[in-house]
Amino acid sequence: MFGKLINILKENPKKIVFTEGSDPRILEAASRLLASTFLSPILVGNKDEIAKAAEESAFNIRGAEIIDPMEYEGIDEMAECLYELRKNKGMTLEKAKATCQQANYFGTMLVKMGKADALLGGATYSTADTVRPALQIIKTKPGKNIVASCFILVRESATGGNTVLAMGDCAINIKPNEGELAEIAIDCAECAKIFGIDPKIAFLSYSTYGSGAGEDVDKMRNAAQKAKDLAPDLLIAGEMQFDAAVSPRVARTKCPGDPVAGSANTFIFPDINAGNIGYKIAQRLGGFDAYGPIMLGLNAPINDLSRGCNASEVYSMALPMEEFTRKFNVAQEKDAEIRHILTTVYAALEDKGYNPINQIVGYILSEDPTYITNHNSARTLIRKLDRDELLQALVRSYLGK
């Protein structure tokens, strides 16, 4: 699995910033990366402390770029950039400089300014301390409503090779709603593909297709249906109990003929309690190595580490960065193309004397008269549409004229 990612990196080497440069796990992973030459580590922290920690642990980090935020020559330029990004939120230039000298913000700004391709942090601090600067500086991708996370679980198979699973959301969204769960599932599926998984997605519950009842059951059933509607090309099932999702014998009894049941490999949990407990049971009792949490929905590859991670997991988490970067670039190109089409069609409607918003609403209501029932106004409805729905409504209403 990781061999393919290494080959991709060799063709296009990248720079990755580690925000905890003196941590022994980071230093061990950095020494392995330096020996391989396909991914250049940037270690953030005090240079003397990093050198001392590396010497004490006998890790060779010769060739690594080490940057101390307190001595960084470009700190004023960085602070100015952060100030421009956050001035509408009350950020001052003085505060921006102090913020940039914090390792997690400093590393994120290196990615924002193009001085690094990706970031990996969180070995010693919380997921929130990784996500917060990413949301403030990198922001979410167009069309995304949330940032979510995915864990990749890997274990040697008794028949040879590896068993590889994906689980989400185990780290960020506390109680995601139906729409958020659908988005999490689709993003987890895309992440799973990077690691060689052909995703079969199970929305987990204490019920299998109506065997139980309750709000949480309804939520998972409805979320599964929304995910199917958004991504009809994916194999998605639910609501479903875990045993029905993974055991062919149980699946034959509880949901015979279901294409996912008994062979699911991508699991969507109802909330962070279930997700966090679930992946840690797989890791600690099931013998799986856990890689993550991998951040989904951001504009650049910013990834978190579990504070319980080991050096091997740090090293392996760094390897998918080229694939993440490529996917981000492809998505941005698509976003730019769609924005151009939207702008062109919107202007064409105005040139014809039509109100584009009324045209969109009129088209939607002609397709589904009940669609606006839960919205207070036409503009509220427009804001609820995702990018593809908006594009479809604009184009079709335009062509209808």
Side-chain angles (χ1 to χ4, degrees):
M1 178 181 70
F2 292 111
K4 177 183 175 183
L5 297 173
I6 289 171
N7 289 334
I8 293 171
L9 276 171
K10 285 179 178 178
E11 294 178 5
N12 191 12
K14 298 291 182 184
K15 284 188 175 183
I16 183 168
V17 55
F18 293 97
T19 54
E20 298 137 305
S22 60
D23 186 279
R25 295 165 295 178
I26 302 299
L27 290 169
E28 181 177 346
S31 69
R32 289 182 63 185
L33 292 171
L34 287 163
S36 303
T37 71
F38 50 74
L39 190 59
S40 301
I42 300 173
L43 304 176
V44 175
N46 180 277
K47 293 181 180 181
D48 291 337
E49 291 178 2
I50 291 173
K52 181 180 178 183
E55 184 178 356
E56 289 175 348
S57 301
F59 296 130
N60 181 4
I61 58 167
R62 189 176 297 110
E65 185 175 0
I66 302 173
I67 306 178
D68 185 346
M70 305 304 293
E71 298 178 354
Y72 183 55
E73 292 182 355
I75 196 67
D76 291 334
E77 178 190 0
M78 182 180 285
E80 181 69 32
C81 180
L82 179 60
Y83 167 70
E84 290 297 327
L85 289 170
R86 302 288 296 168
K87 63 183 178 183
N88 292 336
K89 300 292 185 180
M91 178 71 73
T92 65
L93 196 55
E94 182 181 4
K95 186 178 179 181
K97 185 172 182 177
T99 301
C100 285
Q101 289 174 328
Q102 299 173 33
N104 53 342
Y105 277 89
F106 182 82
T108 306
M109 286 300 298
L110 288 178
V111 175
K112 176 67 178 179
M113 298 175 72
K115 299 182 184 300
D117 299 294
L119 177 146
L120 199 52
T124 61
Y125 51 78
S126 70
T127 294
D129 287 329
T130 301
V131 175
R132 190 181 303 109
L135 284 174
Q136 293 175 357
I137 296 166
I138 303 298
K139 304 185 185 301
T140 56
K141 290 189 287 188
K144 294 296 180 184
N145 298 307
I146 58 170
V147 170
S149 72
C150 177
F151 272 88
I152 299 297
L153 285 297
V154 182
R155 182 180 67 186
E156 287 188 15
S157 172
T159 57
N162 291 319
T163 298
V164 188
L165 308 173
M167 296 184 176
D169 180 352
C170 307
I172 297 180
N173 294 284
I174 296 173
K175 288 187 178 294
N177 60 35
E178 293 172 5
E180 291 168 342
L181 284 165
E183 187 171 317
I184 289 166
I186 294 168
D187 284 348
C188 280
E190 290 302 311
C191 180
K193 291 176 184 177
I194 291 175
F195 290 88
I197 301 172
D198 183 12
K200 293 184 176 182
I201 305 165
F203 280 74
L204 298 178
S205 173
Y206 59 83
S207 166
T208 298
Y209 291 131
S211 65
E215 290 183 5
D216 289 340
V217 173
D218 294 340
K219 181 176 82 166
M220 295 308 284
R221 181 187 306 120
N222 295 339
Q225 186 57 54
K226 288 183 178 183
K228 291 177 184 178
D229 293 341
L230 290 169
D233 57 319
L234 291 175
L235 284 176
I236 299 170
E239 88 288 0
M240 184 177 291
Q241 291 163 289
F242 187 77
D243 57 352
V246 300
S247 168
R249 180 183 61 80
V250 175
R252 284 193 295 271
T253 301
K254 292 188 174 183
C255 38
D258 188 284
V260 172
S263 58
N265 53 29
T266 302
F267 304 98
I268 307 304
F269 293 92
D271 58 38
I272 198 172
N273 269 318
N276 196 267
I277 293 167
Y279 101 79
K280 286 183 177 176
I281 288 175
Q283 180 187 31
R284 301 300 176 182
L285 297 182
F288 281 87
D289 291 326
Y291 301 99
I294 298 166
M295 301 299 176
L296 311 173
L298 288 169
N299 260 324
I302 306 290
N303 277 321
D304 190 30
L305 291 164
S306 169
R307 281 172 286 181
C309 67
N310 57 42
S312 177
E313 290 166 351
V314 176
Y315 172 82
S316 297
M317 275 288 290
L319 299 181
M321 289 307 171
E322 164 59 13
E323 271 295 274
F324 283 125
T325 303
R326 184 186 65 79
K327 283 185 176 290
F328 285 125
N329 290 339
V330 169
Q332 287 173 344
E333 290 171 4
K334 182 181 178 184
D335 290 332
E337 179 183 357
I338 289 177
R339 281 196 298 272
H340 174 70
I341 295 172
L342 285 171
T343 303
T344 302
V345 176
Y346 196 98
L349 280 168
E350 288 188 318
D351 288 344
K352 284 191 166 190
Y354 299 114
N355 183 317
I357 290 178
N358 289 343
Q359 292 299 116
I360 297 167
V361 174
Y363 165 72
I364 292 169
L365 294 182
S366 70
E367 296 288 311
D368 180 4
T370 67
Y371 199 95
I372 204 169
T373 302
N374 295 324
H375 303 286
N376 296 325
S377 69
R379 289 185 181 275
T380 301
L381 172 61
I382 299 305
R383 287 196 294 270
K384 293 288 185 182
L385 297 177
D386 69 23
R387 182 187 61 197
D388 292 335
E389 290 172 325
L390 179 59
L391 176 61
Q392 182 185 64
L394 263 171
V395 172
R396 290 193 179 181
S397 60
Y398 173 68
L399 293 177
K401 298 293 178 183

